[in-house]
């Protein structure tokens, strides 16, 4: 892949988010609808994520994950997603990316 | 911050890397020189990272972390760095970002 300048990386607003709610997507078997606290005082962000085959709801609740905060919204099978979570994918396995020790919700990642 | 299109995010080649060696930087108190396996068969990548105040060498050895693989090289106090690791920062604390379960070295993150 093409080499990027550090300035292109710095355009991304990547944050530690805490999952506060999980629902099934009504029209897609692999998608969850998540609410994620980004440390902004009660204004949680809605994110649609394709992690349902790999994570149960009870594993996700309260978990701290990594969120790209400043992506343009997209609509996934009729539900708006206002960001994206980071996950590693290898063959048929998907693993969430998280802070390896506890850190404050909303912390900037860089 | 400005909203980004998903295509800008996809220009980044973000990977799971495994730390295989750690040295002190000869000219900087806060920097380590790391070698990181990105699953490419023995060709480890050298990365300079400012995490020395927060991590001991023995905590880092063998750890799986997240690496931006396709950044332009930079020279930090005379030592070349060919990528960047992800870490969350909050006030005076720095926490590495890692896969939350084991996953193959070199796995793509997206």
């Amino acid at each position: 892949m093409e080499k990027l300048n550090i300035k292109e990386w710095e355009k991304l607003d990547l944050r530690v988010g805490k999952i506060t709610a999980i629902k099934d997507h009504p029209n897609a078997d692999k998608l969850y609808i998540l609410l994620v606290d980004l440390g902004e005082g009660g204004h949680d962000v809605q994110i649609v994520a394709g992690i349902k085959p790999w994570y149960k709801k009870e594993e996700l609740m309260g978990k701290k994950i990594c969120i790209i905060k400043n992506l343009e919204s997209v609509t996934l099978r009729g539900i708006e997603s206002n960001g994206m979570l980071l996950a590693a994918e290898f063959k048929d396995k998907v693993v969430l990316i998280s802070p390896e020790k506890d850190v404050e919700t909303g912390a900037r990642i860089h």
Side-chain angles (χ1 to χ4, degrees), chain A:
Chain A
M1 288 173 79
E2 194 192 343
K3 292 274 180 184
L4 300 181
N5 190 284
I6 187 84
K7 284 188 182 147
E8 293 185 77
W9 158 250
E10 287 171 349
K11 285 185 199 167
L12 280 176
D13 193 2
L14 198 60
R15 300 281 178 155
V16 174
K18 184 178 178 180
I19 300 174
T20 59
I22 308 122
K23 290 195 295 191
D24 295 320
H25 190 299
N27 309 314
D29 286 349
K30 293 188 175 178
L31 301 181
Y32 281 133
I33 304 168
L34 307 175
L35 288 181
V36 180
D37 178 3
L38 291 173
E40 296 182 326
H43 175 65
D44 293 358
V45 165
Q46 177 171 290
I47 286 176
V48 177
I51 56 172
K52 196 166 164 183
W54 298 278
Y55 285 91
K56 292 179 185 153
K57 286 179 192 165
E58 49 272 32
E59 287 177 90
L60 293 174
M61 195 63 194
K63 198 170 194 67
K64 288 191 176 168
I65 57 173
C66 300
I67 300 286
I68 312 166
K69 187 179 161 185
N70 66 331
L71 282 186
E72 286 171 4
S73 298
V74 292
T75 300
L76 296 169
R77 302 257 183 133
I79 305 284
E80 191 174 285
S81 183
N82 296 302
M84 212 182 88
L85 58 75
L86 296 194
E89 192 167 1
F90 193 87
K91 293 180 182 167
D92 248 4
K93 195 162 98 182
V94 170
V95 173
L96 287 171
I97 301 298
S98 287
E100 64 99 35
K101 290 177 194 165
D102 193 38
V103 67
E104 281 77 359
T105 299
R108 183 93 196 262
I109 298 166
H110 45 193

